[in-house]
Amino acid sequence: MLQSIKQLYGNKLGASDGDLGHVKDFYFEDQNWAVRYVVAETGSWLLGRQVLLSPHAFSGSPPAGKVMLVNLTRKQIEDSPAVETHKPMSRQYEQEYHRYYGWPYYWEGDGLWGGHEEFSDFGPASQFSTR
């Protein structure tokens, strides 16, 4: 089901062990307009730190107006590589980020998610439009 990404701004995010924060923004890949990362505002538990969440982290379609669940713990997110959201995303940072979580690189392979079929129809890129 296609869903407008505009409806997701501000949605609450939940880690496997508690509240995570809310959706602040999205990073898109500029060749096919796939969502590559959700920018999460973590609020007070990480002193306002913003973190990136790959579509690999999400468990299924987000229900409208409900908490979007992430298959990560708060500790994993807290220990993830820091990102400077005011700077362009570097490939070096993306490699470090994907290695940290053990996820495949989306830029390798033929599929939308790095040639891994299980991710071809998974995550925000296949479920959300930018309209």
Side-chain angles (χ1 to χ4, degrees):
M1 175 175 87
L2 211 54
Q3 180 177 352
S4 173
I5 206 160
K6 291 177 187 175
Q7 297 172 331
L8 301 177
Y9 283 93
N11 272 18
K12 291 182 180 182
L13 295 164
S16 62
D17 58 352
D19 292 335
L20 172 56
H22 68 272
V23 175
K24 176 155 175 83
D25 208 350
F26 296 87
Y27 281 3
F28 291 87
E29 188 267 316
D30 62 0
Q31 291 182 353
N32 61 16
W33 291 102
V35 173
R36 292 299 177 207
Y37 304 101
V38 173
V39 180
E41 179 68 54
T42 59
S44 60
W45 74 274
L46 282 181
L47 301 174
R49 177 179 160 198
Q50 293 180 5
V51 296
L52 296 183
L53 300 170
S54 168
H56 289 287
F58 288 87
S59 52
S61 298
K66 296 193 178 174
V67 175
M68 296 171 62
L69 298 177
V70 177
N71 294 320
L72 301 169
T73 66
R74 288 169 50 130
K75 181 69 172 155
Q76 285 177 294
I77 294 164
E78 183 177 3
D79 292 344
S80 69
V83 65
E84 296 181 27
T85 56
H86 64 282
K87 291 184 177 180
M89 179 72 59
S90 73
R91 184 64 59 153
Q92 181 179 357
Y93 173 82
E94 287 188 293
Q95 289 171 333
E96 178 184 359
Y97 175 84
H98 283 261
R99 274 192 309 269
Y100 173 77
Y101 285 114
W103 292 327
Y105 300 136
Y106 68 81
W107 55 88
E108 293 180 349
D110 295 333
L112 187 60
W113 298 105
H116 297 275
E117 281 302 313
E118 69 269 25
F119 295 113
S120 295
D121 296 323
F122 176 80
S126 64
Q127 298 167 17
F128 312 133
S129 78
T130 56
R131 296 180 200 135

